[in-house]
Amino acid sequence: MTGQEQRRLAAIMMLDVAGFTRLMGADESGTLALVLDARRSFVEPALARHGGRLVKLLGDGALAEFASVTGALDCACDIQTGMRNHPLKLRIGINLGEVIVEEDDIYGDGVNVAARIEGLARPGGIAVSHSVYEQARSRGGYRFVDGGKQMVKNVAEPVAVFHLSTNGGEAEAVRPARSPPRRRWLPLALAACVVVAGAVYALLVGDLRLWTDDAPPPVGAVVAEDRPSLVVLPFENLSGDPAQTYFSDGMTDNLINDLSQIGGLLVIARNTSFSFRDRQEPMDARTVHKVLGVRYVVEGSVQRAGDHVRINANLVDGTTGFQLWAGRLDREFSDLFALQDQVASQIIDALKIELTQDQQRRLSKRYTDNLKAYDLFLRAWEEVWRFNEESRQIAQEFLWSALAIDPDFALAKAILATTYTNRTGVSLTMNAESLETAYRLAGQAVATDPELPAVHASLGLVHMFRREYDQADASFARALELDPNYADGYGMQAWNWHYAGDSERALAGFEYALRLNPRAPFPYLSAIAEVHFSLGDLDAALAISTEALERNPEALRQRLLQGAIFAEMGRIEDAEWEVVEALALESGIRAINLPDIYPFREDDVLMRLKQALRSAGLPG
C-alpha cells in the first residue's frame, strides 16, 4: 500500500458454520453443498437487502461490512431467521470499530474483535461487542442478554459480549443464565474451568445427537425412574434491576438444593433447569414435561425491594397442567432463610412426601447466620460462572471477605477451595501452592460442617488432583450419600474412576449423571471426549471434543486434547494448528506439564498424549 493509510469506521460482521469440522468429517461433499446453499439463499440476499458489502469469503464463513450498526443487526437477524430450519447453524459476530482499508479488503483491530466475538456466539445466534450494544440500545428495537466480559486471543483487555435475541423488544442488558449459588451443596460445575466429569447421555445410549441450544435433550431417562420427578425452573427477577438477577438465581438454586436432598424425589440438576431460560419457544409445564420427562414443574418469581423480599411460586403437574400448589410469601430480608425454608416445606407438603427427622433437621440448617456474608457468597458464585481468570480473582475476593465476617462459613470455604483447585495444570504457575491452599480450605470446610455435600465434593476434587484416588472416591461417595440427586457428584466420581484407570466404569457413572442433568454443558462434553480418547475411540472423541470447542474455543485443555486426537488420526496439519492455538492461549505450555493437567494413575494414556502432541509441535 502506498501513501497515507486509509481508515474508516464500520460495522463489521463475521460469520461461520458451527461444527464445520465435524460435519466435513462426516460428509464432505454434502456439507460443502449446504454451505453453498446457505450462502446463495440467505447470506448474500440478506447482505443486498440491508446494504452490506461482502468483503471476502473465508471457507465456511464470510467477512462483511456495513455503514451502520442497524444495517448489520437487521441483516444478521434476517439471516438467522431465514436459516431457522436449515440443516446448518451459523454463528454471527458484529463489532463497531475502525478498519484499515486496502483495495477491497479490510483488516485491523476492528476486524479482529469481530472475529473473536463471532467465536463466542451460540450456534444459530448473534453476538455483538459493547460498542454495537451501545449504538443499538439508543435506537431501540433490539433485546440483548449480557454475556459478561471475556478474555479472547490477541486482544489485550477483556471484551464485553452481548447476545442478541431475535424476539425483538427494547434493548436491555440482562444477565444470562449462569450457575446460581448453591445453598446446600457445591456443584461439580464450580470446577468447570479445569473440565469436570460428565457425559453425553445421548451418545451412551446410541443417539449421537447432542442437545445444543437448538435441540431438546433425550427423553426417557427420567420417566424410567420409580420415584416422583421434579424440575425447578429459574425464578424470574421482578426487582426492576438486572443486577439483582444473581439474587433470584440464588433463590432458585437454594430451592433445588433443598429438594434434591429428599431421597424420595428425583430432582433435575441446576444446569439443565437453567437451560430453559430465554428460550424462544414458550416453556409451560406441559412442554417441559414433554422435553424432560419430569412430572412436576416449579415456577416462580422473586422481588427484592429494600429490606423486603417477596417470592411467588407454584407447583404444576406437567402431565395434566393442573396446579397443585401456589404461594405468595413475603418476609423481611432479615428473615430470608426462613422464607427459603417455607417455600421448600410447602412444596414438599403439596407432594405429600413425609420427611424423616434427619431430613427435617437438615432442611432447616443454616450455612451462615450473617446475611452480609451470605450476600457476598451469592455475588462470588455469579463471578465463578463467568469462567475467566479475572472473575475467578473477583470471586476469591468476595469469598475471603465473607469468611472475614463469618470464619465458620463452610460452604464459602468449599467454593474458595475449588477456585484454587480449578487452576491446577492450567495456569502452569504456583500449581503446588494453589493445590495446597485448596487442600487446607477444603479440610477446614469438612471439619466445620461435615453434613454438607459440597465440602466433601470440594475435598474429593483436591484428592483427585493429588492422585489420591481412593480418598477422592470416599469423599464423592459421602457427598452422594448426603445428596442422592447430586448429578455433578456422580460425574465427579466417574471422572475420578477415569483417572484412576477404569474408564469403562466411568462411562456408567456418566450415564447416571446425565439422567439427572441431561443438558450437557461444555465441561461434560470435554470430559467424555477425554474418556473416549483414553478408550481409543477416536471418532467419538473427535465428535464430542469438536462440540466442546464450539462452546468454549479458549479452553487450553480442550485444544490440547483435540490436537492429540488429530495426531493419532494422522491429521497432522489439523493437530499442528490446535497446538498453535494452545500456545497462543498459554505460551509456556510444554509436554512436561501434561501430568499436572491430566492426573492419570497409569502412564499409558499420558504417554499417548505426550507422543501425539510432540509430533504436532508441542515443545518438550
Side-chain angles (χ1 to χ4, degrees):
M1 178 176 173
T2 60
Q4 187 175 7
E5 203 171 58
Q6 297 183 29
R7 294 175 178 265
R8 64 170 174 249
L9 187 68
I12 308 119
M13 174 191 291
M14 295 285 292
L15 61 84
D16 75 356
V17 176
F20 181 72
T21 302
R22 170 172 52 83
L23 293 168
M24 286 288 287
D27 181 6
E28 183 172 331
S29 60
T31 299
L32 290 175
L34 288 172
V35 170
L36 184 61
D37 174 67
R39 183 182 300 160
R40 290 177 175 174
S41 301
F42 302 101
V43 176
E44 292 176 355
L47 288 171
R49 283 193 293 269
H50 300 284
R53 181 177 78 89
L54 179 62
V55 177
K56 57 185 172 183
L57 299 174
L58 303 167
D60 65 312
L63 167 64
E65 70 167 345
F66 295 78
S68 70
V69 164
T70 302
L73 289 171
D74 287 347
C75 180
C77 291
D78 194 353
I79 292 171
Q80 296 294 36
T81 300
M83 290 198 59
R84 186 165 294 165
N85 297 319
H86 197 273
L88 298 182
K89 296 299 179 184
L90 299 184
R91 292 179 303 198
I92 299 178
I94 303 174
N95 179 41
L96 175 65
E98 190 176 70
V99 298
I100 301 171
V101 183
E102 184 172 324
E103 296 181 351
D104 290 332
D105 201 0
I106 60 173
Y107 59 97
D109 287 342
V111 176
N112 184 40
V113 171
R116 299 308 170 191
I117 292 290
E118 179 268 327
L120 297 171
R122 305 183 182 98
I126 304 163
V128 306
S129 65
H130 185 266
S131 58
V132 172
Y133 167 73
E134 287 296 328
Q135 289 284 321
R137 70 181 300 189
S138 65
R139 288 168 170 77
Y142 306 99
R143 184 177 185 276
F144 295 90
V145 175
D146 183 356
K149 291 185 176 181
Q150 306 289 334
M151 291 299 299
V152 297
K153 187 175 64 177
N154 297 332
V155 179
E157 298 297 325
V159 174
V161 180
F162 297 82
H163 298 278
L164 176 64
S165 168
T166 56
N167 288 338
E170 190 172 343
E172 56 179 335
V174 185
R175 288 293 178 193
R178 306 189 200 283
S179 165
R182 289 193 179 273
R183 176 165 164 259
R184 300 287 183 189
W185 44 279
L186 176 68
L188 168 67
L190 183 57
C193 294
V194 288
V195 183
V196 289
V200 182
Y201 176 74
L203 188 67
L204 295 173
V205 297
D207 182 356
L208 294 178
R209 184 189 66 183
L210 304 180
W211 184 22
T212 65
D213 290 335
D214 304 298
V219 176
V222 174
V223 294
E225 294 278 345
D226 293 333
R227 49 187 168 154
S229 53
L230 176 145
V231 62
V232 181
L233 298 182
F235 280 16
E236 185 179 359
N237 171 29
L238 297 183
S239 301
D241 179 6
Q244 289 293 316
T245 300
Y246 82 93
F247 185 78
S248 58
D249 286 356
M251 299 304 99
T252 306
D253 205 37
N254 292 335
L255 182 56
I256 294 173
N257 299 338
D258 287 344
L259 297 175
S260 72
Q261 296 185 71
I262 309 304
L265 272 177
L266 186 148
V267 180
I268 294 297
R270 181 269 324 142
N271 185 77
T272 295
S273 168
F274 273 71
S275 70
F276 284 92
R277 174 154 45 196
D278 295 329
R279 295 185 66 86
Q280 294 182 0
E281 67 274 18
M283 279 291 176
D284 58 15
R286 300 186 77 168
T287 303
V288 173
H289 162 71
K290 292 177 181 177
V291 172
L292 284 181
V294 295
R295 178 167 182 179
Y296 301 107
V297 179
V298 177
E299 303 170 294
S301 62
V302 176
Q303 185 173 10
R304 180 180 178 182
D307 295 330
H308 193 77
V309 179
R310 171 181 295 167
I311 294 180
N312 287 286
N314 61 78
L315 172 69
V316 179
D317 187 330
T319 62
T320 63
F322 182 71
Q323 183 171 279
L324 303 178
W325 168 83
R328 178 175 176 176
L329 311 174
D330 295 85
R331 293 252 187 172
E332 295 296 318
F333 184 70
S334 57
D335 292 329
L336 177 64
F337 298 141
L339 176 61
Q340 294 171 344
D341 292 341
Q342 186 179 2
V343 174
S345 296
Q346 291 192 17
I347 290 174
I348 292 169
D349 288 343
L351 292 172
K352 303 187 185 308
I353 295 175
E354 293 188 11
L355 301 181
T356 65
Q357 289 186 347
D358 182 61
Q359 287 173 334
Q360 290 176 338
R361 177 181 58 80
R362 290 175 58 203
L363 191 64
S364 61
K365 282 191 63 174
R366 299 284 181 269
Y367 293 144
T368 176
D369 291 324
N370 189 291
L371 288 169
K372 175 61 176 176
Y374 184 64
D375 191 72
L376 288 167
F377 161 74
L378 297 184
R379 294 178 185 276
W381 189 258
E382 182 184 38
E383 292 296 332
V384 164
W385 275 83
R386 295 184 190 276
F387 297 140
N388 61 58
E389 179 64 16
E390 179 186 11
S391 292
R392 184 185 72 89
Q393 293 178 1
I394 294 172
Q396 287 181 344
E397 292 176 4
F398 280 136
L399 292 167
W400 282 120
S401 297
L403 290 171
I405 297 171
D406 183 358
D408 293 328
F409 195 167
L411 185 58
K413 284 185 178 178
I415 295 176
L416 186 58
T418 307
T419 66
Y420 284 98
T421 306
N422 66 18
R423 299 307 296 164
T424 302
V426 177
S427 66
L428 304 180
T429 59
M430 299 181 65
N431 271 341
E433 293 86 346
S434 294
L435 203 57
E436 183 59 34
T437 299
Y439 188 50
R440 173 174 54 83
L441 288 168
Q444 292 174 357
V446 171
T448 301
D449 194 344
E451 289 191 336
L452 279 180
V455 301
H456 296 285
S458 178
L459 182 58
L461 198 63
V462 181
H463 278 311
M464 187 182 76
F465 273 92
R466 286 164 58 104
R467 291 178 169 77
E468 297 164 350
Y469 309 103
D470 292 341
Q471 294 96 316
D473 192 56
S475 292
F476 295 139
R478 178 56 179 157
L480 294 171
E481 180 182 358
L482 291 168
D483 186 346
N485 286 291
Y486 199 168
D488 294 337
Y490 290 104
M492 292 174 104
Q493 186 179 54
W495 198 26
N496 182 61
W497 290 340
H498 165 57
Y499 282 132
D502 195 349
S503 295
E504 292 285 359
R505 185 186 184 194
L507 287 180
F510 293 151
E511 179 176 354
Y512 191 75
L514 266 294
R515 292 189 182 187
L516 296 168
N517 191 8
R519 173 62 167 96
F522 160 75
Y524 279 43
L525 298 174
S526 182
I528 196 62
E530 187 179 302
V531 174
H532 279 295
F533 176 83
S534 298
L535 293 171
D537 189 348
L538 297 181
D539 289 336
L542 179 60
I544 302 172
S545 179
T546 301
E547 183 75 15
L549 275 176
E550 289 175 3
R551 303 271 187 94
N552 188 356
E554 307 297 324
L556 173 64
R557 293 172 60 100
Q558 203 60 38
R559 287 291 177 193
L560 292 171
L561 180 64
Q562 187 90 334
I565 295 169
F566 278 137
E568 288 205 348
M569 297 177 83
R571 297 170 59 174
I572 299 302
E573 289 187 4
D574 289 329
E576 290 173 344
W577 188 87
E578 294 294 346
V579 168
V580 169
E581 290 290 298
L583 290 169
L585 293 168
E586 177 57 67
S587 60
I589 186 70
R590 299 292 184 268
I592 197 174
N593 302 124
L594 295 179
D596 292 328
I597 301 175
Y598 306 99
F600 287 101
R601 185 202 297 269
E602 305 295 339
D603 290 337
D604 54 345
V605 178
L606 197 58
M607 292 304 296
R608 284 175 54 203
L609 284 165
K610 287 182 178 180
Q611 182 177 352
L613 290 169
R614 281 172 176 157
S615 72
L618 184 68

